[in-house]
Amino acid sequence: MLVLVTGATGRIGSHLTRVLIRHGHTVRALAVPDDPGTELIAGPQVELVYGRLEDSDAVTAAVRCVDAVFHLGGALTSRGNTDEEFFEFNLRGTFNLLMAVRAHAPGI
């Protein structure tokens, strides 16, 4: 099964990615460009796709042909994001993901 994991380079996402791989799945990880956390999950069963949740084209590309999605990506206000950035990363990003799944992975 091809599984998209947003937030795959984070603490929970990297653990989930390793568990999915152990269970025989291939993971497509949506990661922001230059994310140093990609080293935590790099391997032959991980396809890295670079982009941001607020970029609907990047999210659409990440969703194509996946069998499942785990959405763990987002922003924390405690990490220096403004309220507007928090909204764009989390709400707009989740909306973009849901729209992409509905259009390009309707079987999920």
Side-chain angles (χ1 to χ4, degrees):
M1 182 183 296
L2 176 58
V3 180
L4 171 63
V5 179
T6 69
T9 61
R11 184 173 43 116
I12 296 170
S14 62
H15 289 292
L16 173 62
T17 296
R18 288 189 289 272
V19 168
L20 290 167
I21 290 167
R22 273 198 307 271
H23 286 275
H25 302 292
T26 300
V27 172
R28 178 176 294 156
L30 179 63
V32 295
D34 301 321
D35 185 339
T38 57
E39 296 173 6
L40 297 172
I41 60 169
Q45 288 179 271
V46 176
E47 174 190 348
L48 289 166
V49 175
Y50 293 97
R52 297 181 169 280
L53 289 169
E54 63 273 24
D55 177 354
S56 61
D57 290 337
V59 174
T60 296
V63 163
R64 289 192 194 281
C65 300
V66 298
D67 301 300
V69 175
F70 284 91
H71 179 42
L72 303 174
L76 302 173
T77 56
S78 63
R79 296 219 175 141
N81 296 302
T82 67
D83 291 341
E84 290 79 18
E85 290 169 332
F86 181 83
F87 177 87
E88 285 300 315
F89 298 155
N90 294 311
L91 286 119
R92 176 71 57 200
T94 299
F95 177 79
N96 288 343
L97 182 63
L98 291 172
M99 294 297 101
V101 167
R102 183 168 73 175
H104 302 287
I108 294 179

XYZ file of all heavy atoms in Angstrom:
810
model
N 0.842 -1.162 0.000
C 0.000 0.000 0.000
C 0.896 1.237 0.000
O 1.890 1.296 0.706
C -0.890 -0.023 1.257
C -1.855 1.118 1.331
S -2.871 1.183 2.841
C -3.830 -0.297 2.706
N 0.510 2.246 -0.771
C 1.213 3.525 -0.809
C 0.485 4.487 0.126
O -0.699 4.768 -0.064
C 1.250 4.093 -2.224
C 1.885 5.469 -2.395
C 3.334 5.483 -1.907
C 1.806 5.912 -3.846
N 1.192 4.954 1.140
C 0.594 5.781 2.181
C 1.254 7.156 2.182
O 2.483 7.255 2.292
C 0.768 5.123 3.567
C 0.141 5.983 4.650
C 0.192 3.714 3.580
N 0.443 8.205 2.075
C 0.946 9.564 2.214
C 0.962 9.930 3.687
O -0.037 9.751 4.382
C 0.060 10.551 1.448
C 0.353 12.040 1.680
C 1.758 12.407 1.205
C -0.708 12.898 1.015
N 2.108 10.447 4.142
C 2.209 10.961 5.506
C 2.645 12.417 5.418
O 3.748 12.709 4.953
C 3.214 10.146 6.361
C 3.311 10.733 7.766
C 2.812 8.678 6.424
N 1.760 13.321 5.836
C 2.167 14.717 5.980
C 2.742 14.834 7.381
O 2.287 14.171 8.311
C 0.988 15.694 5.799
O 0.087 15.568 6.897
C 0.268 15.443 4.477
N 3.752 15.637 7.527
C 4.410 15.731 8.829
C 5.291 14.536 9.125
O 5.596 14.239 10.283
N 5.725 13.849 8.090
C 6.510 12.612 8.262
C 7.870 12.845 8.902
O 8.468 11.917 9.431
C 6.693 11.917 6.914
N 8.358 14.064 8.867
C 9.676 14.337 9.442
C 9.603 14.780 10.895
O 10.625 14.974 11.540
C 10.419 15.418 8.634
O 9.657 16.629 8.666
C 10.638 14.963 7.204
N 8.410 14.930 11.408
C 8.239 15.320 12.806
C 8.398 14.140 13.746
O 8.635 13.002 13.331
N 8.245 14.408 15.033
C 8.449 13.366 16.042
C 7.477 12.202 15.856
O 7.891 11.052 15.748
C 8.290 13.968 17.437
C 8.571 12.991 18.549
C 8.562 13.685 19.900
N 7.458 14.628 20.009
C 6.455 14.508 20.873
N 6.438 13.512 21.721
N 5.493 15.396 20.910
N 6.198 12.485 15.777
C 5.214 11.422 15.617
C 5.260 10.862 14.196
O 5.206 9.652 13.992
C 3.804 11.931 15.962
C 3.748 12.316 17.445
C 2.747 10.881 15.643
C 2.491 13.048 17.837
N 5.377 11.743 13.205
C 5.390 11.311 11.812
C 6.548 10.388 11.477
O 6.386 9.438 10.715
N 7.718 10.657 12.029
C 8.870 9.787 11.736
C 8.678 8.408 12.354
O 9.034 7.397 11.750
C 10.175 10.428 12.206
O 10.184 10.635 13.602
N 8.084 8.353 13.541
C 7.792 7.045 14.145
C 6.748 6.291 13.318
O 6.892 5.098 13.064
C 7.310 7.206 15.587
C 8.369 7.634 16.538
N 9.438 6.832 16.884
C 8.537 8.788 17.213
C 10.213 7.478 17.736
N 9.697 8.669 17.943
N 5.693 6.999 12.911
C 4.653 6.378 12.090
C 5.240 5.865 10.784
O 4.929 4.747 10.350
C 3.529 7.373 11.803
C 2.463 6.890 10.822
C 1.731 5.668 11.353
C 1.497 8.023 10.500
N 6.090 6.644 10.154
C 6.713 6.238 8.892
C 7.477 4.933 9.070
O 7.347 4.004 8.263
C 7.633 7.359 8.372
O 6.815 8.499 8.067
C 8.391 6.930 7.129
N 8.258 4.837 10.129
C 9.021 3.597 10.374
C 8.096 2.406 10.629
O 8.363 1.292 10.169
C 10.005 3.811 11.516
C 11.179 4.712 11.119
C 12.265 4.752 12.174
N 11.881 5.464 13.368
C 12.016 6.774 13.558
N 12.527 7.531 12.595
N 11.659 7.341 14.688
N 6.997 2.627 11.346
C 6.039 1.546 11.603
C 5.395 1.089 10.292
O 5.264 -0.121 10.041
C 4.973 1.983 12.625
C 3.821 0.995 12.676
C 5.588 2.151 14.008
N 4.983 2.035 9.466
C 4.374 1.671 8.181
C 5.341 0.859 7.325
O 4.945 -0.139 6.703
C 3.927 2.932 7.438
C 2.723 3.665 8.039
C 2.571 5.043 7.414
C 1.455 2.840 7.859
N 6.589 1.259 7.302
C 7.604 0.530 6.526
C 7.780 -0.878 7.081
O 7.855 -1.849 6.322
C 8.930 1.313 6.512
C 8.769 2.570 5.650
C 10.076 0.451 6.007
C 9.895 3.567 5.817
N 7.845 -0.996 8.398
C 7.985 -2.334 9.010
C 6.832 -3.251 8.630
O 6.988 -4.463 8.580
C 8.071 -2.221 10.538
C 9.459 -1.994 11.050
C 9.609 -2.310 12.529
N 8.653 -1.649 13.385
C 8.807 -0.442 13.935
N 9.904 0.250 13.695
N 7.877 0.068 14.713
N 5.668 -2.660 8.382
C 4.495 -3.454 8.006
C 4.370 -3.627 6.491
O 3.331 -4.066 5.999
C 3.228 -2.832 8.592
C 3.107 -3.055 10.065
N 2.567 -4.195 10.611
C 3.502 -2.291 11.114
C 2.612 -4.128 11.923
N 3.182 -2.975 12.257
N 5.426 -3.270 5.766
C 5.483 -3.541 4.340
C 4.926 -2.476 3.426
O 4.791 -2.710 2.221
N 4.585 -1.328 3.948
C 4.024 -0.260 3.127
C 5.124 0.633 2.560
O 6.222 0.695 3.094
C 3.053 0.590 3.946
C 1.943 -0.202 4.535
N 0.955 -0.790 3.771
C 1.669 -0.527 5.819
C 0.117 -1.441 4.557
N 0.532 -1.293 5.808
N 4.797 1.321 1.500
C 5.650 2.374 0.963
C 5.059 3.690 1.417
O 3.842 3.881 1.376
C 5.688 2.311 -0.576
O 6.214 1.046 -0.972
C 6.551 3.429 -1.145
N 5.923 4.601 1.846
C 5.468 5.888 2.358
C 5.871 6.990 1.392
O 7.022 7.064 0.958
C 6.075 6.174 3.761
C 5.749 7.597 4.210
C 5.570 5.154 4.767
N 4.901 7.820 1.053
C 5.188 9.066 0.349
C 5.124 10.156 1.419
O 4.085 10.364 2.039
C 4.156 9.336 -0.740
C 4.416 10.663 -1.460
C 3.466 10.886 -2.604
N 3.704 9.894 -3.646
C 2.794 9.522 -4.544
N 1.588 10.050 -4.530
N 3.087 8.623 -5.461
N 6.226 10.818 1.630
C 6.321 11.826 2.680
C 6.310 13.213 2.072
O 7.159 13.534 1.245
C 7.597 11.620 3.479
N 5.346 14.034 2.479
C 5.320 15.421 2.062
C 6.168 16.207 3.050
O 5.874 16.243 4.244
C 3.892 15.971 2.047
C 3.744 17.437 1.637
C 4.211 17.662 0.203
C 2.305 17.887 1.800
N 7.235 16.804 2.555
C 8.171 17.536 3.413
C 8.434 18.915 2.830
O 8.455 19.089 1.618
C 9.487 16.769 3.526
N 8.644 19.872 3.716
C 8.993 21.212 3.237
C 10.410 21.170 2.679
O 11.249 20.389 3.138
C 8.864 22.284 4.345
C 7.425 22.429 4.795
C 9.759 21.989 5.516
N 10.681 21.975 1.663
C 12.032 21.990 1.086
C 13.083 22.288 2.155
O 12.854 23.058 3.076
C 11.960 23.132 0.061
C 10.513 23.226 -0.284
C 9.769 22.888 0.976
N 14.222 21.625 2.042
C 15.355 21.802 2.963
C 15.052 21.361 4.391
O 15.713 21.827 5.321
C 15.854 23.255 2.959
C 16.308 23.699 1.576
O 16.931 22.878 0.876
O 16.029 24.846 1.199
N 14.090 20.492 4.588
C 13.778 20.000 5.929
C 14.864 19.020 6.364
O 15.018 17.956 5.758
C 12.421 19.303 5.926
C 11.967 18.860 7.301
O 12.806 18.716 8.209
O 10.755 18.649 7.462
N 15.630 19.325 7.418
C 16.686 18.418 7.856
C 16.139 17.102 8.410
O 16.864 16.112 8.488
C 17.429 19.212 8.936
C 16.439 20.206 9.426
C 15.551 20.524 8.253
N 14.856 17.076 8.746
C 14.254 15.862 9.287
C 14.099 14.746 8.280
O 13.805 13.609 8.652
N 14.303 15.051 6.988
C 14.172 13.977 5.997
C 15.208 12.886 6.215
O 14.981 11.741 5.837
C 14.278 14.530 4.565
O 15.518 15.210 4.413
C 13.129 15.473 4.253
N 16.319 13.232 6.856
C 17.342 12.226 7.159
C 16.803 11.152 8.098
O 17.272 10.007 8.075
C 18.564 12.886 7.781
C 19.272 13.841 6.840
C 20.375 14.621 7.530
O 20.663 14.350 8.713
O 20.950 15.507 6.877
N 15.820 11.497 8.934
C 15.238 10.548 9.883
C 14.451 9.442 9.193
O 14.281 8.369 9.758
C 14.302 11.272 10.858
C 14.903 12.312 11.773
C 13.791 13.059 12.516
C 15.850 11.653 12.756
N 13.952 9.726 7.996
C 13.052 8.779 7.347
C 13.548 8.284 5.996
O 12.890 7.456 5.366
C 11.645 9.389 7.182
C 11.693 10.660 6.334
C 11.006 9.647 8.535
C 10.350 11.181 5.902
N 14.683 8.770 5.543
C 15.180 8.411 4.211
C 15.402 6.907 4.101
O 15.839 6.254 5.042
C 16.476 9.156 3.925
N 15.053 6.368 2.943
C 15.266 4.953 2.683
C 14.544 4.530 1.433
O 13.783 5.304 0.844
N 14.751 3.292 1.024
C 14.182 2.828 -0.246
C 12.658 2.742 -0.255
O 12.067 2.778 -1.328
C 14.811 1.443 -0.434
C 15.290 1.031 0.908
C 15.584 2.278 1.672
N 12.023 2.653 0.886
C 10.562 2.566 0.922
C 9.911 3.920 1.200
O 8.718 3.983 1.473
C 10.115 1.550 1.969
C 10.398 0.113 1.544
C 9.964 -0.849 2.619
O 10.736 -1.167 3.509
N 8.730 -1.291 2.527
N 10.690 4.991 1.111
C 10.166 6.334 1.351
C 10.387 7.184 0.107
O 11.505 7.329 -0.361
C 10.840 7.004 2.567
C 10.348 8.434 2.723
C 10.589 6.200 3.831
N 9.292 7.698 -0.408
C 9.343 8.628 -1.524
C 9.122 10.029 -0.963
O 8.064 10.326 -0.411
C 8.234 8.295 -2.531
C 8.118 9.279 -3.654
C 6.863 9.060 -4.485
O 6.192 8.025 -4.349
O 6.544 9.983 -5.264
N 10.130 10.858 -1.058
C 10.022 12.225 -0.567
C 9.439 13.124 -1.638
O 9.910 13.130 -2.776
C 11.386 12.752 -0.140
C 11.943 12.128 1.137
C 13.420 12.444 1.281
C 11.165 12.604 2.344
N 8.404 13.869 -1.272
C 7.791 14.857 -2.139
C 7.910 16.180 -1.402
O 7.480 16.296 -0.253
C 6.309 14.526 -2.424
C 5.656 15.620 -3.232
C 6.182 13.185 -3.106
N 8.518 17.158 -2.047
C 8.751 18.434 -1.389
C 7.663 19.427 -1.746
O 7.305 19.576 -2.912
C 10.126 18.985 -1.758
C 11.234 18.122 -1.198
C 11.846 17.149 -1.973
C 11.628 18.266 0.129
C 12.845 16.343 -1.451
C 12.622 17.462 0.657
C 13.235 16.504 -0.138
O 14.211 15.707 0.388
N 7.135 20.068 -0.729
C 6.108 21.071 -0.928
C 5.535 21.485 0.409
O 5.951 21.009 1.461
N 4.562 22.367 0.342
C 3.920 22.894 1.547
C 2.420 22.629 1.485
O 1.828 22.654 0.407
C 4.178 24.386 1.680
C 5.640 24.731 1.841
C 5.842 26.235 1.997
N 7.200 26.523 2.393
C 7.678 26.422 3.626
N 6.896 26.043 4.601
N 8.942 26.702 3.892
N 1.824 22.409 2.624
C 0.394 22.140 2.682
C -0.439 23.282 2.116
O -1.499 23.052 1.548
C -0.039 21.862 4.121
C 0.415 20.534 4.706
C 0.161 20.510 6.207
C -0.294 19.383 4.017
N 0.030 24.507 2.257
C -0.748 25.635 1.755
C -0.631 25.806 0.242
O -1.305 26.641 -0.344
C -0.387 26.924 2.495
C 1.025 27.394 2.345
C 2.022 26.814 3.345
O 1.782 25.720 3.896
O 3.056 27.457 3.552
N 0.186 24.984 -0.394
C 0.345 24.986 -1.853
C -0.494 23.845 -2.418
O -0.103 22.677 -2.365
C 1.817 24.816 -2.209
C 2.077 24.728 -3.702
O 1.113 24.674 -4.497
O 3.260 24.693 -4.077
N -1.660 24.181 -2.949
C -2.587 23.135 -3.400
C -2.007 22.269 -4.512
O -2.312 21.075 -4.584
C -3.927 23.737 -3.824
O -3.760 24.628 -4.890
N -1.156 22.813 -5.377
C -0.543 21.999 -6.431
C 0.394 20.949 -5.839
O 0.412 19.794 -6.287
C 0.237 22.883 -7.415
C -0.673 23.753 -8.265
O -1.867 23.396 -8.429
O -0.203 24.786 -8.762
N 1.166 21.324 -4.837
C 2.075 20.371 -4.185
C 1.291 19.276 -3.470
O 1.650 18.097 -3.536
C 2.988 21.096 -3.195
N 0.221 19.660 -2.823
C -0.605 18.681 -2.111
C -1.275 17.739 -3.098
O -1.320 16.521 -2.875
C -1.637 19.395 -1.206
C -2.598 18.405 -0.585
C -0.923 20.196 -0.122
N -1.759 18.274 -4.206
C -2.379 17.429 -5.226
C -1.379 16.412 -5.771
O -1.699 15.232 -5.925
C -2.947 18.296 -6.362
O -3.985 19.117 -5.823
C -3.496 17.450 -7.492
N -0.167 16.847 -6.032
C 0.865 15.925 -6.523
C 1.159 14.840 -5.494
O 1.362 13.670 -5.848
C 2.141 16.699 -6.857
N 1.169 15.197 -4.228
C 1.466 14.223 -3.179
C 0.356 13.185 -3.031
O 0.621 12.020 -2.703
C 1.695 14.944 -1.852
N -0.872 13.576 -3.294
C -2.027 12.690 -3.088
C -2.214 11.684 -4.221
O -2.754 10.598 -4.002
C -3.302 13.563 -2.917
C -4.566 12.762 -3.104
C -3.293 14.222 -1.555
N -1.753 11.993 -5.394
C -2.025 11.132 -6.558
C -1.584 9.691 -6.307
O -0.462 9.433 -5.896
C -1.306 11.659 -7.789
C -1.907 12.936 -8.316
C -1.360 13.280 -9.688
N -1.669 14.637 -10.063
C -2.831 15.052 -10.529
N -3.810 14.191 -10.672
N -3.022 16.312 -10.857
N -2.514 8.779 -6.541
C -2.282 7.332 -6.502
C -2.031 6.759 -5.112
O -1.604 5.613 -4.994
C -1.133 6.936 -7.423
S -1.423 7.374 -9.143
N -2.290 7.509 -4.038
C -2.090 6.936 -2.710
C -3.314 6.127 -2.303
O -4.423 6.352 -2.776
C -1.756 7.998 -1.633
C -0.459 8.714 -1.968
C -2.891 8.968 -1.415
N -3.066 5.182 -1.403
C -4.135 4.326 -0.897
C -4.651 4.777 0.463
O -5.736 4.374 0.884
C -3.618 2.889 -0.776
C -3.130 2.352 -2.104
O -3.947 2.288 -3.049
O -1.939 2.020 -2.216
N -3.859 5.572 1.166
C -4.238 6.057 2.488
C -3.461 7.335 2.787
O -2.406 7.580 2.196
C -3.936 5.012 3.554
N -3.995 8.126 3.718
C -3.354 9.375 4.119
C -3.359 9.475 5.639
O -4.388 9.242 6.281
C -4.093 10.608 3.545
C -3.478 11.901 4.066
C -4.087 10.591 2.025
N -2.206 9.804 6.193
C -2.102 10.188 7.597
C -1.682 11.652 7.587
O -0.592 11.986 7.107
C -1.039 9.361 8.334
C -1.473 7.966 8.651
C -1.224 6.933 7.752
C -2.121 7.667 9.834
C -1.612 5.638 8.034
C -2.514 6.377 10.126
C -2.263 5.353 9.223
N -2.545 12.511 8.107
C -2.272 13.951 8.083
C -1.775 14.399 9.453
O -2.551 14.569 10.386
C -3.534 14.703 7.681
C -3.381 16.181 7.638
N -2.262 16.811 7.112
C -4.207 17.177 8.052
C -2.429 18.126 7.212
N -3.596 18.362 7.781
N -0.455 14.559 9.555
C 0.170 14.992 10.798
C 0.879 16.327 10.645
O 1.423 16.848 11.617
C 1.175 13.930 11.274
C 0.610 12.529 11.477
C 1.731 11.545 11.792
C -0.440 12.523 12.568
N 0.902 16.866 9.437
C 1.613 18.116 9.190
C 0.853 19.314 9.715
O -0.378 19.321 9.750
N 1.587 20.304 10.141
C 0.967 21.527 10.613
C 1.978 22.409 11.306
O 3.154 22.079 11.414
N 1.489 23.530 11.785
C 2.344 24.510 12.450
C 1.900 24.683 13.892
O 0.724 24.551 14.220
C 2.261 25.845 11.720
N 2.857 25.003 14.721
C 2.583 25.322 16.114
C 2.826 26.805 16.327
O 3.845 27.342 15.907
C 3.513 24.523 17.029
C 3.451 23.001 16.889
C 4.538 22.360 17.738
C 2.085 22.492 17.280
N 1.911 27.475 16.996
C 2.127 28.897 17.250
C 3.329 29.097 18.163
O 3.972 30.131 18.122
C 0.892 29.556 17.885
O 0.553 28.857 19.077
C -0.272 29.555 16.923
N 3.654 28.114 18.958
C 4.781 28.237 19.883
C 6.128 28.209 19.162
O 7.155 28.425 19.775
C 4.734 27.121 20.924
O 4.866 25.860 20.286
N 6.132 27.954 17.884
C 7.383 27.907 17.133
C 7.577 29.136 16.258
O 8.226 29.072 15.226
C 7.433 26.642 16.281
C 7.457 25.404 17.144
C 8.364 24.376 16.579
N 8.447 23.257 17.503
C 8.496 22.008 17.144
N 8.464 21.693 15.879
N 8.585 21.060 18.037
N 6.988 30.246 16.643
C 7.254 31.498 15.960
C 6.348 31.828 14.790
O 6.670 32.716 14.009
N 5.230 31.146 14.643
C 4.311 31.452 13.558
C 3.306 32.508 13.991
O 2.841 32.506 15.123
C 3.554 30.190 13.112
C 4.470 29.161 12.533
O 5.164 29.429 11.565
N 4.500 27.978 13.115
N 2.957 33.378 13.076
C 1.905 34.352 13.351
C 0.551 33.649 13.306
O 0.436 32.505 12.834
C 1.911 35.475 12.298
O 1.536 34.915 11.029
C 3.266 36.164 12.219
N -0.484 34.339 13.765
C -1.834 33.774 13.691
C -2.230 33.486 12.251
O -2.864 32.482 11.958
C -2.849 34.719 14.331
C -2.687 34.819 15.839
O -2.054 33.926 16.436
O -3.202 35.799 16.416
N -1.852 34.371 11.329
C -2.172 34.173 9.916
C -1.449 32.951 9.348
O -2.032 32.173 8.588
C -1.821 35.422 9.095
C -2.716 36.607 9.363
C -2.367 37.355 10.660
O -1.239 37.179 11.183
O -3.227 38.093 11.153
N -0.184 32.796 9.706
C 0.563 31.620 9.256
C -0.031 30.347 9.849
O -0.164 29.330 9.158
C 2.038 31.733 9.657
C 2.792 32.773 8.895
C 4.162 33.051 9.468
O 4.372 32.881 10.693
O 5.041 33.448 8.675
N -0.405 30.416 11.114
C -1.041 29.274 11.773
C -2.295 28.859 11.008
O -2.515 27.680 10.741
C -1.376 29.633 13.221
C -2.000 28.527 13.998
C -1.208 27.550 14.589
C -3.370 28.446 14.157
C -1.779 26.522 15.317
C -3.953 27.416 14.874
C -3.159 26.454 15.460
N -3.109 29.834 10.617
C -4.312 29.558 9.851
C -3.960 28.936 8.505
O -4.522 27.907 8.124
C -5.123 30.846 9.619
C -6.343 30.616 8.770
C -7.532 30.214 9.344
C -6.291 30.775 7.388
C -8.654 29.975 8.564
C -7.408 30.543 6.597
C -8.597 30.143 7.186
N -3.054 29.542 7.755
C -2.703 29.045 6.428
C -2.129 27.639 6.481
O -2.500 26.777 5.696
C -1.715 29.991 5.729
C -2.345 31.258 5.217
C -3.444 31.024 4.194
O -3.270 30.196 3.265
O -4.502 31.675 4.322
N -1.197 27.390 7.396
C -0.560 26.073 7.488
C -1.566 25.005 7.895
O -1.599 23.925 7.316
C 0.583 26.081 8.499
C 1.711 27.011 8.168
C 2.511 27.512 9.175
C 1.986 27.395 6.865
C 3.574 28.372 8.892
C 3.033 28.253 6.565
C 3.831 28.741 7.588
N -2.368 25.305 8.903
C -3.230 24.281 9.479
C -4.592 24.186 8.806
O -4.962 23.105 8.343
C -3.376 24.509 10.979
C -2.064 24.301 11.696
O -1.399 23.304 11.500
N -1.664 25.252 12.507
N -5.327 25.258 8.750
C -6.669 25.179 8.170
C -6.629 25.114 6.653
O -7.255 24.248 6.042
C -7.526 26.343 8.662
C -7.920 26.105 10.124
C -7.382 27.219 10.975
C -9.390 25.964 10.254
N -5.895 26.025 6.024
C -5.807 26.005 4.560
C -5.128 24.714 4.101
O -5.539 24.095 3.137
C -5.055 27.227 4.049
C -4.827 27.237 2.543
C -6.066 27.476 1.739
N -6.679 28.728 2.138
C -7.955 29.038 1.895
N -8.722 28.200 1.240
N -8.453 30.182 2.293
N -4.090 24.314 4.810
C -3.389 23.084 4.449
C -4.286 21.861 4.529
O -4.295 21.010 3.636
N -5.057 21.760 5.600
C -5.986 20.630 5.746
C -7.070 20.681 4.678
O -7.429 19.656 4.084
C -6.596 20.620 7.151
O -5.536 20.468 8.105
C -7.581 19.472 7.320
N -7.589 21.872 4.404
C -8.580 22.037 3.343
C -8.000 21.596 2.001
O -8.642 20.848 1.248
C -9.039 23.497 3.277
C -10.006 23.765 2.164
C -11.344 23.420 2.290
C -9.577 24.356 0.984
C -12.242 23.660 1.257
C -10.470 24.603 -0.053
C -11.802 24.257 0.085
N -6.786 22.037 1.681
C -6.149 21.636 0.422
C -6.009 20.126 0.336
O -6.239 19.525 -0.722
C -4.769 22.286 0.287
C -4.839 23.767 -0.004
O -5.869 24.287 -0.412
N -3.741 24.458 0.241
N -5.616 19.504 1.435
C -5.459 18.048 1.449
C -6.800 17.356 1.219
O -6.894 16.425 0.405
C -4.834 17.605 2.770
C -4.574 16.119 2.912
C -3.558 15.634 1.881
C -4.091 15.803 4.320
N -7.830 17.793 1.894
C -9.152 17.175 1.720
C -9.664 17.340 0.287
O -10.222 16.399 -0.287
C -10.147 17.776 2.707
C -9.916 17.418 4.164
C -10.841 18.238 5.073
C -10.131 15.925 4.397
N -9.472 18.510 -0.299
C -9.900 18.735 -1.678
C -9.113 17.866 -2.652
O -9.683 17.319 -3.597
C -9.763 20.212 -2.056
C -10.688 21.150 -1.299
S -12.441 20.834 -1.601
C -12.883 19.932 -0.128
N -7.827 17.714 -2.413
C -6.995 16.879 -3.296
C -7.399 15.421 -3.185
O -7.471 14.709 -4.199
C -5.515 17.062 -2.949
N -7.658 14.954 -1.984
C -8.105 13.563 -1.800
C -9.438 13.355 -2.494
O -9.636 12.365 -3.202
C -8.179 13.198 -0.310
C -8.939 11.903 -0.089
C -6.782 13.102 0.293
N -10.353 14.274 -2.323
C -11.676 14.133 -2.953
C -11.551 14.067 -4.475
O -12.215 13.264 -5.132
C -12.583 15.297 -2.548
C -13.977 15.149 -3.119
C -14.940 16.114 -2.515
N -14.671 17.467 -3.027
C -15.432 18.499 -2.734
N -16.450 18.377 -1.900
N -15.143 19.689 -3.238
N -10.657 14.863 -5.056
C -10.524 14.920 -6.503
C -9.641 13.818 -7.086
O -9.899 13.350 -8.192
C -9.968 16.280 -6.909
N -8.616 13.404 -6.347
C -7.609 12.520 -6.941
C -7.417 11.182 -6.237
O -6.642 10.353 -6.699
C -6.265 13.243 -7.007
C -6.333 14.510 -7.802
N -6.430 14.522 -9.171
C -6.374 15.806 -7.417
C -6.512 15.765 -9.593
N -6.489 16.565 -8.552
N -8.103 10.980 -5.138
C -8.027 9.695 -4.430
C -9.386 9.422 -3.783
O -9.480 9.216 -2.579
C -6.910 9.724 -3.388
N -10.442 9.415 -4.583
C -11.796 9.330 -4.026
C -12.093 8.011 -3.330
O -13.046 7.921 -2.554
C -12.702 9.521 -5.247
C -11.876 9.115 -6.406
C -10.461 9.477 -6.049
N -11.284 6.992 -3.552
C -11.506 5.709 -2.899
C -11.107 5.677 -1.438
O -11.392 4.726 -0.727
N -10.441 6.725 -0.990
C -9.990 6.765 0.407
C -11.166 7.102 1.301
O -11.918 7.987 1.066
C -8.850 7.793 0.589
C -7.621 7.327 -0.164
C -8.549 8.017 2.063
C -6.444 8.260 -0.072
